[in-house]
């Protein structure tokens, strides 16, 4: 985006709330630099040779995890929820998509999770065109995306353990593997020892943590969250966002839709700004105010 376009965009109340001059270096994930483990011991001479042939990883940058190419979504009746939206997400990122109610945030997430199809353009995940998937491939692709909802959507008649285990059971993971993975997932969200509790016995914040554990227990490469803190008080909202921020270091990229500009600003992460279905700006973490 050019200087003139940014100046015009900055007049938007949405962008004014989050853009600024704070210089904060984005987190670096060295694991994301290489698409496969490189055993350096096999090439000892190349470690010190300035004229050595570039490695495969250097010649070929890591695969983009998610890419929108000129994506538009028009519903029956003529409403265009998204218009010519383009952006890409690298492995190991955490970023936000924000904007006013009706800006297109939820539609964007539904396209990623294959709940919707674009009217025009292409959505790719791991270089796979999602619009071309059919039949069982759709279900398999959805397993690669963890989803956290604002209203938790937990099964009230099942225990915390059973709720978190559900994606693994559906995926056909052997029972012997399910228990340690569920317990590890609950430990990550601070709910170790609550396996036997029913959702109604938990606080709102604990229920949201169960939803997050369920979304990441299958270790998906991407997690999307639609207004996950909308029903939480400010303190709990910060705790949940800090939990999301810990996931990229564990191998899960995170994309959160939120209209809470104060919380988004606090997180100091990249922000996509939507306005009436158009991508108004793509603000890097280095430009966010403290």
């Amino acid at each position: 985006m050019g200087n003139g376009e940014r100046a015009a965009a900055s007049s938007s109340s949405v962008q004014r709330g989050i853009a600024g001059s704070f210089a904060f270096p984005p987190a670096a994930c060295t694991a994301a630099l290489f698409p496969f483990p490189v055993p350096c011991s096999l090439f000892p001479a190349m470690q010190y040779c300035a004229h050595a042939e570039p490695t495969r990883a250097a010649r070929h940058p890591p695969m983009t995890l998610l890419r929108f190419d000129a994506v538009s979504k028009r519903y029956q009746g003529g409403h265009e929820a998204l218009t010519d939206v383009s952006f890409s997400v690298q492995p190991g990122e955490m970023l936000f998509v924000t904007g006013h109610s009706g800006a297109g945030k939820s539609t964007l997430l539904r396209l990623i999770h294959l709940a919707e199809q674009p009217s025009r353009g292409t959505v790719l995940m791991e270089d796979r065109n999602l619009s071309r998937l059919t039949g069982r491939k759709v279900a398999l692709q959805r397993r690669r995306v963890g989803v956290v909802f604002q209203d938790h959507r937990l099964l009230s008649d099942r225990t915390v353990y059973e709720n978190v285990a559900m994606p693994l059971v559906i995926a056909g993971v052997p029972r012997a593997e399910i228990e340690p993975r569920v317990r590890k997932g609950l430990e990550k969200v601070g709910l170790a020892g609550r396996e036997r509790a029913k959702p109604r016995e938990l606080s709102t914040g604990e229920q949201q943590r169960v939803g997050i554990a369920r979304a990441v227990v299958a270790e998906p490469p991407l997690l999307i969250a639609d207004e996950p803190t909308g029903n939480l008080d400010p303190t709990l909202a910060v705790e949940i966002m800090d939990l999301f921020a810990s996931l990229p270091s564990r191998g899960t990229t995170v994309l959160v839709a939120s209209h809470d500009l104060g919380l988004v600003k606090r997180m100091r992460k990249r922000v996509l700004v939507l306005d009436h279905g158009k991508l108004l700006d793509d603000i890097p973490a280095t430009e966010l105010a403290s």
Side-chain angles (χ1 to χ4, degrees):
M1 176 174 289
N3 292 335
E5 293 172 313
R6 182 176 291 278
S10 65
S11 63
S12 164
S13 60
V14 172
Q15 187 173 348
R16 283 204 308 269
I18 57 178
S21 59
F22 182 79
F24 188 84
C29 179
T30 55
L33 296 177
F34 303 99
F36 58 91
V38 180
C40 297
S41 60
L42 296 179
F43 308 99
M46 293 181 66
Q47 297 180 46
Y48 307 101
C49 179
H51 304 289
E53 174 73 14
T55 65
R56 178 178 182 273
R59 292 195 303 268
H60 302 282
M63 179 189 297
T64 296
L65 178 66
L66 178 69
R67 188 165 81 245
F68 274 51
D69 284 341
V71 171
S72 296
K73 175 62 180 180
R74 180 184 292 269
Y75 289 101
Q76 290 183 354
H79 172 62
E80 189 146 314
L82 293 174
T83 303
D84 199 28
V85 172
S86 297
F87 66 91
S88 61
V89 178
Q90 301 302 318
E93 275 196 84
M94 178 179 176
L95 68 159
F96 290 88
V97 55
T98 190
H100 57 80
S101 179
K105 303 185 298 295
S106 295
T107 297
L108 186 148
L109 297 187
R110 286 197 293 268
L111 292 173
I112 297 171
H113 194 237
L114 289 172
E116 304 273 5
Q117 292 285 344
S119 304
R120 297 184 304 277
T122 308
V123 180
L124 300 103
M125 182 171 168
E126 299 168 312
D127 287 343
R128 185 181 298 112
N129 187 337
L130 300 187
S131 294
R132 295 180 180 175
L133 300 180
T134 58
R136 187 168 182 268
K137 291 182 179 179
V138 172
L140 292 175
Q141 175 60 31
R142 284 175 175 159
R143 294 177 190 173
R144 299 191 61 71
V145 181
V147 183
V148 177
F149 303 97
Q150 179 177 346
D151 57 358
H152 321 309
R153 301 193 185 181
L154 302 178
L155 300 176
S156 60
D157 62 336
R158 303 296 178 92
T159 65
V160 165
Y161 180 96
E162 291 168 331
N163 269 280
V164 175
M166 190 68 66
L168 301 178
V169 173
I170 293 173
V173 174
R175 181 175 296 182
E177 295 181 23
I178 291 178
E179 181 173 354
R181 290 176 67 172
V182 170
R183 294 189 184 282
K184 182 179 178 181
L186 290 173
E187 288 175 3
K188 287 180 181 179
V189 299
L191 288 176
R194 300 288 278 162
E195 296 92 340
R196 295 180 181 276
K198 295 287 183 67
R200 64 177 177 274
E201 300 170 21
L202 305 177
S203 69
T204 302
E206 288 174 328
Q207 289 176 10
Q208 188 64 293
R209 288 173 180 270
V210 175
I212 295 171
R214 181 182 58 190
V216 301
V217 70
E219 300 177 346
L222 176 64
L223 181 142
I224 59 176
D226 193 1
E227 301 286 358
T229 61
N231 294 329
L232 305 180
D233 64 48
T235 300
L236 285 175
V238 169
E239 291 180 5
I240 293 300
M241 284 301 176
D242 287 343
L243 180 56
F244 283 135
S246 72
L247 296 177
S249 65
R250 301 169 182 171
T252 297
T253 299
V254 178
L255 174 58
V256 179
S258 177
H259 66 271
D260 188 338
L261 301 184
L263 193 57
V264 170
K265 183 177 177 180
R266 174 192 177 277
M267 296 304 296
R268 302 175 184 174
K269 302 294 183 181
R270 177 185 172 196
V271 180
L272 305 176
V273 183
L274 291 176
D275 183 36
H276 294 92
K278 297 181 180 180
L279 184 59
L280 186 67
D281 206 352
D282 184 344
I283 308 174
T286 52
E287 294 186 15
L288 294 182
S290 62

